[in-house]
Amino acid sequence: MLEAFKKTEVYKSIFRHSYQDTQRNRALQIVDNVFLHLHPVRVPRHATNIGYTWGMGGITFLLFLVLTITGIILMFYYRPTAQYAYEDMKYLMNDVPFGPLIRNMHRWAAHAMVLTVMLHMFRVFLTGSYKPPRQFNWVVGVILLVLTLLLSFSGYLLPWDQLAIWAVTVGTNMARATPLLGHEGPFGPELGMMPDNDVRFVLLGGTEVGPPTLLRFYVGHCIFLPIIAAIFMAVHFWRVRKDGGISGPETPKKT
Amino acid sequence: MQQFFEILTKPDNLPIVFLLFSVIFFTWFAWTKAKKNDAQGYPVEATLDDKVQVWPYLVRVEFLATIAVMAVLVIWSITLDAPLEEPANRALTPNPSKAPWYFLGLQEMLVYFDPWIAGVVLPSLIIVGLMAIPYIDINPKGNGYYTFKERKFAVLVFSFGFLILWCLLIFIGTFLRGPGWNFFMPGEKWDPHFVAVLTNVDFSEMWPFNIATRMPDGSLNPAAFIFGAVCVFGFYSLGPLYWLRKRNTDFMKKLGLVRYAIVSFLFLTMMGLLVKILLRLIPTFLGMNPVKYVWVTPWFNV
Ligand code: HEM
């Protein structure tokens, strides 16, 4: 029956080529697949070597996908208001089927992503892969690093427990001291900065971490930052290919 | 010791244990690769330059890596619950209050610098400095393979920044900083009533300078202000001085003044962190008062 199905127009319209192991089919497998066609058809052998890339860029991306999926599931159970947020977390952890699993995966994948993105950067530096022609992609990478940290940090507040609110308080207290723009920063008071009109106020939507902060961080965490990060990732992957694929030694094989 | 173990096994601290091991492992791993490439005179990567088909050779690796990562993640998530503490309460400040682990290096810097430096200027410089790297490193060698010999300065500076100033400080901030952000050795009890007897002095007040920062009436001593300014600007003038000595070398000519200015500013700032940390630690070990500020001004302190 499968054989018969393979002959129908429906099957052919979906898969387009047979699965015989030929050079041509191996190439088509890549080019005809929207997900795989991020790849070139052929790469230098060392690019498939985990020892060279450590696979950390790819793993970072995988974790980002995991975070997107688990994050969307979490959104079904979570209301970003001071009244409900914590209750929703309790409900999720105690009563929702597989709730703890989803939340744990989201949490641990987020931590792991911060770790892998740092290791990815370390690898890219050590192989000198930021050198021409890949300078700009390194800059895109740095932006992604910052976005990753911001995503993780904004998510930290959402459980609305003691850990969350104080970690974010410590983190955002720094903004008071911004030179010129913070009410405790150098030249801030001279420019008329007060607790209720400086950058920290804009960030928190108040003079302390409160309900408006929760909403702000929620929107940033679930909508704004992921979209920006996804856009920069698209640019990042596009540039990896446009810059000639994974970096490698210039010199031809020496004998 | 039991308490240290408790901190070590706090669910949110597990990533830092991973960080520790993976960073050490990868540093060692990259180091052996670089050594090998340097010793044999050509990179191993150059011998692997024949083309292979992505399907199946690359997709296969990606597939296996995906399965491995997902397996680890699922096991991790089944065995360890994400923390959920008491509901948020503004009236109850935990001691110590810590930022998320990846910012603890910066929080650790708060010990040595005022918030405007540790919390704002430093992070901005880290971001800008990282972005600048491709444009200020003009060494064409070492592109696309592991090496140390061909780019010693770059690898050393970056590794110092990443391994010591970023990862090690995260580690210290997580595991060795207790209540009041005081330093506790592993195994020492985190005593919330512990008060460190620290009388910090300013750099100008140290022997042999002995210039008081404040006048008896509490106003700023102009001599101390000038002394501090001389120290800070003197430190940064190491950059121009070095340039004056080396400007006629081929390397400097290729690098150009603008690039050099950026490199030397970023490098000296990074070293400045180290200097300030040492100004705090060395006197402490000698039983003297540690240094708080090098330069006190009416608007900010360094
Ligand atoms: C969300 C974060 C990021 C994702 C998902 C990501 C993903 C990737 C992937 C999949 C690759 C292909 C090669 C590999 O796996 O190593 C890559 C390459 C690269 N990445 Fe990233 N990356 C991220 C962040 C960064 C950061 C923080 C930097 C540097 C500061 C960076 C700089 C680069 C450069 C220069 C390349 C080209 C490397 C080469 O050709 O050898 N990326 N990235």
Side-chain angles (χ1 to χ4, degrees), chain A residues 82-157:
Chain A
Q83 192 185 355
Y84 294 124
Y86 184 77
E87 294 307 313
D88 288 349
M89 296 309 281
K90 275 268 177 242
Y91 177 62
L92 187 79
M93 288 308 268
N94 295 326
D95 294 320
V96 176
F98 296 106
L101 180 69
I102 295 294
R103 173 164 181 247
N104 295 346
M105 276 178 78
H106 196 73
R107 179 93 167 194
W108 303 141
H111 281 321
M113 183 174 169
V114 174
L115 183 63
T116 56
V117 74
M118 280 161 32
L119 290 171
H120 173 57
M121 181 178 76
F122 193 40
R123 184 293 281 184
V124 171
F125 186 89
L126 290 177
T127 56
S129 301
Y130 57 84
K131 299 191 175 198
R134 296 184 182 78
Q135 304 101 315
F136 183 67
N137 213 15
W138 168 273
V139 176
V140 174
V142 176
I143 296 173
L144 282 171
L145 172 75
V146 174
L147 287 172
T148 307
L149 293 179
L150 287 180
L151 270 167
S152 185
F153 184 65
S154 56
Y156 216 82
L157 181 66

Side-chain angles (χ1 to χ4, degrees), chain B residues 6 12 23 32-34 65 76 82 102 107 110 124 131 134 175 184 190 241 246 258 263 270 285 292 298:
Chain B
E6 263 166 36
D12 255 354
V23 163
T32 46
K33 288 198 147 218
W76 186 2
Y102 35 85
Q107 199 176 354
L110 279 176
S124 315
M131 288 184 179
F175 295 121
F184 294 90
W190 281 18
L241 284 179
K246 298 276 177 172
V258 177
V263 176
M270 191 162 157
F285 282 119
K292 184 155 173 67

Side-chain angles (χ1 to χ4, degrees), chain A residues 80-82 157 160 201-219:
Chain A
T81 58
L157 181 66
W160 205 241
F201 186 83
V202 176
L203 205 63
L204 298 184
T207 53
E208 55 178 33
V209 177
T213 320
L214 184 58
L215 187 57
R216 249 166 231 225
F217 276 43
Y218 174 78
V219 174

Side-chain angles (χ1 to χ4, degrees), chain B residues 73-130:
Chain B
L73 190 62
V74 169
I75 292 173
W76 186 2
S77 304
I78 289 176
T79 47
L80 209 59
D81 269 346
L84 188 62
E85 299 187 351
E86 299 299 304
N89 181 353
R90 289 225 57 94
L92 217 69
T93 313
N95 185 9
S97 297
K98 292 190 180 185
W101 62 270
Y102 35 85
F103 288 147
L104 285 188
L106 294 170
Q107 199 176 354
E108 178 70 14
M109 276 295 155
L110 279 176
V111 175
Y112 306 99
F113 292 96
D114 279 359
W116 69 278
I117 298 187
V120 185
V121 174
L122 262 184
S124 315
L125 280 181
I126 294 174
I127 296 170
V128 174
L130 281 175

